[in-house]
Each structure stands twice: as structure tokens, then as C-alpha cells.
Amino acid sequence: MARRSRQPLGWRSLWLGFAVAGGVLWAGCFGISAFRIAPWIALAPLFLLFDRRGATALVFAWGVAYWAISLHWIVPTMVTFGGLSAALTWPLFGLLAATLALYPTAVVALTGRVWRSPRPLVGMLAVAATWVALEWVRSWMLTGFPWNLAAYAWLEVPGALAPSTLLGAYGGSFMVVWANAGVARGLADRDWRPLAWGLLVPLAVLGTAWRWNERALADGSSRSGVLEARVLQPDIPNLTVWDPARNASDYRRLIAQSLEACDRPGTLLVWPESAAWPRRLGEDARLEQDLRELGRRGCSVILNTARREGGETFNAAVLVRPDGTRDSYDKQRLVPFGEFVPFRALLPIDDAVTRNVGDFSPGQGSRLLDIQGVSLGLAICYEVVFPTQLAATVAGGASVLVSMTNDDWYGPTAAAWQHLRAARFRAAETRRTLLRAAITGVSAVIGPDGGLVARAGPGALGLRGAVVRDGAGAALYVRLAPAVPWMAIVVSAFAILLDRRGRRPAAS
């Protein structure tokens, strides 16, 4: 008896270890370096768990391991810059990882029966569509956190960005999950057919979308709107202890770099998020003087500043033109525990900690900043990870996208590269050039196909120039963005109902 009782426990432990290892493996696909082959199979261990007894608990363990590894940079960020104690940060981080783990757990709960049915393609369809639907739910549930969408794992797969112009990153996530589900189903059933379907369908979509997108980009390359732009990376690290001399030196470097970049009239200078901090536009005489000097040379500047209005403070991007006129955009999507404290009344956090974390108000709606006939759509830091937000910005008339960020909060981790991957998908989805200014890197000029035209890595001091053309027509995804997640919901429901109907006993 004792021997029989230990055997199941040993197998349960083995499968628990397999689940944790699978989560770690998938997290590796969101590291500093992107891979071409691994993301085709790295998610398959998750789906192999669907056939096991206790699949729900195993998948939850997989999710906790995946999110804990892929987001490990949050803990030192909150301790070092958020002013939170490690005793509070670790439980909060554990709660975050456990909450995010509920999403893959929901996939197995909703589709586990379909997955185990004798119809492998229906099971694969249900799993992939349900995954996409839940990624969309994750983009708005509990303030929203659409970080590390499955599509981003395929960033370096040739042609992976091209389908984004049709179905966005959510369509890419469908293909990633479909392919990995095919690998898992083929291994579990010892059948080559699910594996073949899992690989051939994405390959056909990638090839077709790539050719279609190349023609569309070529047709739009002759548009007349042109803007000379410079993306600045002043390499100004965040200070853990206030040092006025160091801050003054960093600011002088920013201005010197700006004067160097302002080499011809009509140039747009893009400063990163918090580049001039703690100087506020309209309140700091030195900052105003330096902007006037750049204006006299004929250069415009987009900079980040805290903007006060009606008793509220907004994280704003302001365009300062050579003639002194200004327009601003207020950040809509704020970083939880970075720019505001969600559910503050329910958490044991005092006012002092809240001031360290931030207490901004969200902006209301997108506002385009116009310069020389080009309409700029803004995304401040975290906002670039929201696919539908920038699609709506382009639908509203944006012809060039600008993203300003400060990724130094996260140190030399994969966070900056994860952030950059999202930005590349936003450019490809909307078929718009995206100028990304990061205070310590990774800054980039991203082409309308999502490719890197120029890049400045972490810690580099430099600037990148670009001749930016007006957007090359509206991508189909811009018009379909709200419909794509609903399509996934419909497909998921259809696959589940189809399987249940197929299981009904025949009428006598």
C-alpha cells in the first residue's frame, strides 16, 4: 500500500517539475535575444499538460513560473525606485504572477475537453482562439497588462511581422499558439498530421502576408509628406539618491546633444521620457531658454513633462515649435505601481509610498500633434504595448508614431527588449514609421514594416536621424482592430460547441 501511495506522488512531482520547466522555457523566448526556431516548440510543453490529471493545477504552476521569470525585473524596480520594502514587494509580485497565471489556466479550463477530443484540429482551433481572446481580456482587465503577447516570441521568424497589417499581434499570437499546439498534439498522439497542419498553415500565412505587405509598402513609398527627425538618447540614468550636480551635468549633455542634432531648419528633435526631469515646461527658466535657442535654429522639440491642470497632474508629451506654439498629449494608460497605485484603498500602502510611486491622472483620448503637414501620434512609455490604442490613433489620422520611454528603471534586463518588441509590432500593425526615444536605450527608428532602420543599444550615447515619410496608406488591421478579438471569441465558442455537438449520442 505504501509503495502504491508513493508512486502517484512521485509522478505528480515529476509533472509539476515539467510544468515549471516549461514555463521557464517559454519565458526564455522573451529574453534579450529573440530566437527563430525555439518559439515554434517552446509553448508545446504547456499543451502537453492539458492531457494530464490535475491539468488545471499544472497549468497554473506553468503560468506562475513563466510570469515570475519573464517579469523578474519588477521586484528590484519597485524596491529601488518605488520606495517599497522587499517584504511588501515580493508578496505583491507573487500576487501579480499568480493573477497572470490565471489566463493560461482559463485556457485549459475552457478548452481542456475539446483538446482531449478525437478531433485534433478542432482542439487546436479552440485553444488558439481562446488564447487570443484571453490576451485581449488581459489588455483591459484590472487596468490592463498586454505585456509579452505570444506573437512577440516570433519577432525574428522571417515574415512574422507581415501578417500584423491584417490581424495585428493578436493574429500573430493565434499562429504561434496554433503551431505549438500542433507540435504538442502530434507528439501526444504520435501522429504527423496535427504537426503538419500546425506548421504548414502559419508558413502559408507568413509567405502570403509578406508578399502582399511588400507590394503595399512599395505602393505607398511615394507619398509626399516628409519630416526630418532626430531621435535622441542622452544616456541619463535614474538617480537613486538626488544629486543636483549630476542632474545638471546630465541636462547639459542633453542640450549639447540637441544643439548638435539641430543641424538644419525644420528638424524635429524627439527627447525621451523624463529627459529634462525635474524641470517642468512653463516653470523652469533655463529649460525655456534652451528651447527658444533651438527654436531660433528652426528646430521643433517633443519632450516629456508633468503638466498640471485643474488640480490634476498629467504625464504629458508636448510639441514645442520654432515659433513658440505648443500642443500637448496626456498619457492615457498609466503604469500600475509606477505612476499610480491601483486599488489604493484596499492595499496597506501609506501616502509617502504613493508619492514615491506616482499619482498621475490619466488623459482622455488621443490627440495628434501636427508639424509641417505630418500628424504625430504619441505613445508615452507603457502605452506602446496596447495594440488597439495605437490602431485607434492611426485611424484618427496619425501618419507617424512617436514613442518616448524611460526603461532605465529596469536596469540591464530583458525589459527594454520586451518593450521594443511591442513597439515593432505597433509599427507593422499600423504601417507607420515609429520613432522610439529611450533615455538609456533601446532607441530606434522603426520602419512601417516593423524593421529596425536604426538602433542605439542600452547605455549608448547617441542620436539617430531619419527622413520620415507620411504613412503609406491605412493597414487593414487599423480598420479591423476592435473586431479581431471578437473574431477569436466567436471561433473559440464555435469550436467548443462543435466538439460538444459531435459528442452527442446518436438518436435512437
Side-chain angles (χ1 to χ4, degrees), residues 232-234 236 238 254 270-277 302-306 315-317 331 333-335 338-339 360 379-383 402-410 419 436-440 443:
L232 275 65
Q233 181 171 304
I236 300 175
N238 296 325
L254 169 69
V270 183
W271 288 5
E273 182 184 24
S274 66
W277 184 87
I302 294 182
L303 71 155
N304 172 239
T305 187
N315 189 352
K331 186 176 183 181
R333 299 276 191 168
L334 302 176
V335 179
E339 294 169 320
F360 289 99
I380 301 176
C381 190
Y382 179 61
E383 291 184 304
V402 176
S403 174
M404 49 178 58
T405 185
N406 180 354
D407 291 341
D408 190 56
W409 301 106
Y410 318 121
H419 206 179
R436 185 178 198 266
I439 197 164
T440 58
S443 297

Side-chain angles (χ1 to χ4, degrees), residues 88-457:
L88 178 59
T89 300
W90 279 109
L92 285 174
F93 180 65
L95 178 62
L96 173 64
T99 301
L100 293 172
L102 293 176
Y103 289 97
T105 306
V107 175
V108 69
L110 292 170
T111 66
R113 179 176 173 177
V114 187
W115 176 260
R116 292 185 288 270
S117 77
R119 300 180 176 186
L121 294 185
V122 175
M124 291 162 56
L125 184 66
V127 166
T130 303
W131 183 288
V132 171
L134 289 172
E135 279 193 339
W136 172 69
V137 171
R138 180 155 58 89
S139 73
W140 54 262
M141 179 71 75
L142 298 176
T143 76
F145 190 70
W147 195 268
N148 283 356
L149 301 182
Y152 303 163
W154 270 14
L155 181 69
E156 291 302 326
V157 173
L161 287 162
S164 298
T165 60
L166 302 174
L167 297 175
Y170 292 127
S173 290
F174 181 93
M175 289 192 299
V176 172
V177 176
W178 170 270
N180 279 269
V183 172
R185 194 71 274 166
L187 290 174
D189 296 345
R190 295 178 175 85
D191 186 349
W192 62 270
R193 287 172 294 182
L195 175 62
W197 279 106
L199 298 180
L200 291 177
V201 170
L203 288 174
V205 172
L206 292 176
T208 303
W210 180 79
R211 294 191 63 180
W212 179 83
N213 200 41
E214 286 292 299
R215 289 196 298 268
L217 289 170
D219 292 342
S221 62
S222 60
R223 293 177 66 91
S224 59
V226 176
L227 177 66
E228 190 83 27
R230 302 285 185 272
V231 177
L232 275 65
Q233 181 171 304
D235 191 30
I236 300 175
N238 296 325
L239 299 176
T240 55
V241 178
W242 173 245
D243 183 344
R246 173 66 182 275
N247 180 263
S249 174
D250 289 338
Y251 178 72
R252 287 194 297 271
R253 183 166 66 253
L254 169 69
I255 297 305
Q257 191 180 49
S258 299
L259 292 171
E260 177 188 355
C262 183
D263 54 0
R264 65 182 66 184
T267 299
L268 171 68
L269 309 181
V270 183
W271 288 5
E273 182 184 24
S274 66
W277 184 87
R279 299 159 189 83
R280 292 192 179 190
L281 197 62
E283 300 178 13
D284 187 273
R286 176 65 185 274
L287 175 60
E288 295 291 339
Q289 178 183 342
D290 292 330
L291 291 173
R292 283 194 296 270
E293 175 58 29
L294 291 169
R296 280 194 291 270
R297 298 183 180 210
C299 290
S300 303
V301 179
I302 294 182
L303 71 155
N304 172 239
T305 187
R307 190 182 70 84
R308 296 192 182 101
E309 181 180 336
E312 295 183 295
T313 303
F314 300 92
N315 189 352
V318 181
L319 171 64
V320 182
R321 301 183 184 86
D323 61 4
T325 59
R326 302 176 180 187
D327 282 321
S328 65
Y329 161 78
D330 296 329
K331 186 176 183 181
Q332 302 172 72
R333 299 276 191 168
L334 302 176
V335 179
F337 300 105
E339 294 169 320
F340 80 109
V341 178
F343 316 114
R344 182 168 54 187
L346 303 177
L347 296 175
I349 298 177
D350 59 28
D351 290 340
V353 171
T354 300
R355 285 192 297 272
N356 283 333
V357 170
D359 196 15
F360 289 99
S361 299
Q364 301 300 316
S366 297
R367 183 178 182 185
L368 303 182
L369 307 183
D370 296 322
I371 179 171
Q372 299 177 28
V374 175
S375 296
L376 306 176
L378 273 291
I380 301 176
C381 190
Y382 179 61
E383 291 184 304
V384 81
V385 305
F386 290 87
T388 53
Q389 178 173 328
L390 285 191
T393 299
V394 171
S399 52
V400 174
L401 299 176
V402 176
S403 174
M404 49 178 58
T405 185
N406 180 354
D407 291 341
D408 190 56
W409 301 106
Y410 318 121
T413 67
W417 300 95
Q418 293 171 359
H419 206 179
L420 176 64
R421 291 183 188 189
R424 292 182 63 180
F425 268 84
R426 299 298 86 79
E429 287 167 350
T430 59
R431 205 181 289 131
R432 294 291 185 268
T433 296
L434 190 149
L435 306 174
R436 185 178 198 266
I439 197 164
T440 58
V442 179
S443 297
V445 176
I446 304 172
D449 60 350
L452 294 176
V453 178
R455 188 190 78 184

